[in-house]
């Protein structure tokens, strides 16, 4: 993650937004064993995502705890010609995708992309109050939510084959100093944004696939579950009882039992042991590739 130099004043406001943090070039993860285990699990789960509900559940779970954000704006396409698509995932009620051109969020994305490019396409941590557009006030839920955020993390992925980029804007109510104080924050940004981009592309590919055999195949996948079902199965695989799950998710035991019946039917098992084994087998199947990627990042 690198701060910009003395960039000219633009849509983002005056230069103070470019104030540097010491050690921003540090790419070492520096995680403790528990954090490393959680990271490997998060990366393994990313490889199983096939549906948007699964993507949202993954982003709102451990990903959000490792890379804090309350709003995630994704934009991808040809930024040079401004031929892009936009999507929003947020834990804030009422915040939804906003069509470009109808909200100042368009200029917010444009300015974030320009700043990211000027910074060498490295992770960029900014004060959201300085970065948000001041002109064209808007009362849409997205813009109102953005105005209440304190920090903005900008990073993306460049596709050199197509010449297109994917840009991800992570907005959070915590300050940038609080976020950067997290151990391994810079390296985690590099690693998780790459995984987020791959998962997002996979979901888009499934949605656009019109082959007749595509939908039945998706339905029969062992982990083609709703985000709630996925969370319950994950807790079950970690040894939680029905009572533990009900308490953690603030739902009744009856609701947990109904969810488990549907989960068992969808993944083709008859009991908790088989369900846990099926879930863990799916994660273990991809663990070797993810561990190799993690080791490579730790050495950088």
């Amino acid at each position: 993650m690198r701060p910009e130099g003395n960039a000219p004043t633009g849509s983002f406001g005056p230069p103070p937004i470019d104030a540097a943090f010491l050690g921003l070039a540090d790419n070492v993860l520096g995680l403790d064993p528990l954090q490393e285990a959680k990271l490997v699990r998060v990366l393994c789960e990313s490889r199983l995502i096939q549906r948007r509900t699964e993507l949202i559940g993954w982003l709102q779970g451990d990903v959000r705890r490792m890379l804090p954000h309350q709003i995630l704006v994704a934009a991808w396409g040809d930024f040079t010609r401004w031929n892009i698509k936009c999507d929003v995932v947020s834990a804030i009620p009422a915040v939804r995708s906003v069509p470009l051109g109808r909200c100042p969020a368009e200029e917010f994305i444009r300015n974030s992309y320009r700043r990211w490019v000027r910074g060498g396409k490295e992770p960029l941590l900014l004060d959201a109050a300085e970065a948000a557009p001041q002109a064209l006030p808007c009362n849409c839920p997205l813009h109102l939510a953005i105005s209440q955020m304190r920090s903005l993390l900008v990073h993306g992925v460049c596709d050199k084959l197509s010449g297109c980029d994917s840009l991800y804007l992570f907005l959070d109510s915590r300050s940038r100093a609080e976020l950067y104080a997290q151990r391994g924050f810079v390296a985690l940004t590099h690693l998780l944004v790459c995984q987020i981009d791959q998962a997002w592309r996979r979901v888009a590919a499934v949605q656009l696939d019109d082959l007749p055999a595509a939908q039945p195949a998706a339905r029969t996948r062992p982990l083609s579950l709703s985000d709630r079902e996925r969370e319950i199965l994950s807790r079950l695989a970690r040894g939680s009882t029905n009572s533990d799950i009900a308490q953690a998710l603030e739902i009744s035991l009856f609701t947990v039992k109904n969810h488990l019946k549907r989960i068992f039917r969808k993944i083709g098992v008859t009991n908790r042991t088989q369900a846990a084994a099926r879930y863990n087998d799916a994660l273990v199947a991809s663990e070797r590739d993810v561990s190799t990627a993690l080791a490579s990042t730790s050495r950088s």
Side-chain angles (χ1 to χ4, degrees):
M1 186 180 297
R2 75 176 60 162
E4 292 184 273
N6 296 322
T9 301
S11 301
F12 278 111
I17 192 172
D18 296 324
F21 286 97
L22 293 177
L24 282 180
D26 185 5
N27 269 336
V28 178
L29 280 171
L31 304 179
D32 60 40
L34 182 60
Q35 291 172 317
E36 287 183 351
K38 182 180 293 186
L39 176 58
V40 170
R41 191 176 190 91
V42 166
L43 298 181
C44 289
E45 289 179 338
S46 75
R47 298 165 63 87
L48 304 176
I49 294 172
Q50 296 294 322
R51 296 182 176 181
R52 180 175 173 79
T53 53
E54 294 174 347
L55 174 66
I56 294 174
W58 178 68
L59 290 170
Q60 301 269 313
D62 285 334
V63 172
R64 194 173 66 172
R65 286 184 279 274
M66 302 187 82
L67 200 59
H69 63 278
Q70 291 174 284
I71 304 172
L72 173 54
V73 180
W76 62 94
D78 187 344
F79 282 82
T80 303
R81 296 179 175 83
W82 198 244
N83 180 21
I84 70 170
K85 294 182 179 180
C86 177
D87 198 2
V88 177
V89 172
S90 175
I92 301 175
V95 174
R96 296 291 185 270
S97 297
V98 178
L100 296 179
R102 298 184 183 180
C103 175
E106 178 182 358
E107 189 61 24
F108 180 59
I109 295 171
R110 284 181 184 269
N111 290 336
S112 298
Y113 178 75
R114 294 180 188 129
R115 185 62 63 90
W116 180 64
V117 171
R118 290 203 300 267
K121 295 189 175 181
E122 291 290 323
L124 192 62
L125 190 56
L126 309 171
D127 288 326
E130 296 286 347
Q134 301 300 315
L136 301 174
C138 177
N139 292 323
C140 76
L142 175 60
H143 189 250
L144 291 175
I146 288 176
S147 67
Q148 297 175 24
M149 297 295 104
R150 296 176 63 195
S151 64
L152 168 64
L153 173 63
V154 184
H155 195 31
V157 176
C158 178
D159 185 348
K160 294 185 178 180
L161 289 176
S162 66
C164 296
D165 293 326
S166 297
L167 188 71
Y168 297 94
L169 312 178
F170 301 83
L171 292 121
D172 196 77
S173 59
R174 279 158 285 195
S175 69
R176 61 175 179 168
E178 291 177 274
L179 297 185
Y180 188 72
Q182 289 190 184
R183 182 181 295 181
F185 182 75
V186 176
L188 279 175
T189 300
H190 278 294
L191 189 57
L192 289 177
V193 166
C194 288
Q195 295 301 315
I196 290 171
D197 186 64
Q198 290 182 25
W200 220 301
R201 288 171 182 265
R202 194 181 310 120
V203 168
V206 171
Q207 291 174 339
L208 294 175
D209 194 345
D210 293 328
L211 293 176
Q215 292 303 320
R219 286 196 297 269
T220 58
R221 286 184 59 85
L223 295 181
S224 292
L225 306 171
S226 70
D227 53 332
R228 176 48 63 91
E229 289 169 342
R230 208 176 151 74
E231 183 174 10
I232 289 174
L233 179 56
S234 174
R235 291 179 180 276
L236 181 151
R238 293 196 294 267
S240 296
T241 65
N242 287 2
S243 297
D244 294 334
I245 296 172
Q247 183 176 4
L249 302 182
E250 298 183 346
I251 57 179
S252 69
L253 277 173
F254 179 78
T255 301
V256 173
K257 291 178 181 178
N258 280 341
H259 275 303
L260 289 176
K261 287 180 182 179
R262 286 193 294 270
I263 291 170
F264 291 177
R265 185 173 62 251
K266 286 183 177 182
I267 66 177
V269 301
T270 59
N271 57 54
R272 300 170 67 90
T273 302
Q274 292 175 356
R278 181 67 59 85
Y279 181 80
N280 287 322
D281 284 347
L283 295 183
V284 171
S286 63
E287 187 170 359
R288 181 177 301 175
D289 291 341
V290 175
S291 297
T292 300
L294 179 60
S296 175
T297 303
S298 299
R299 290 193 297 268
S300 63

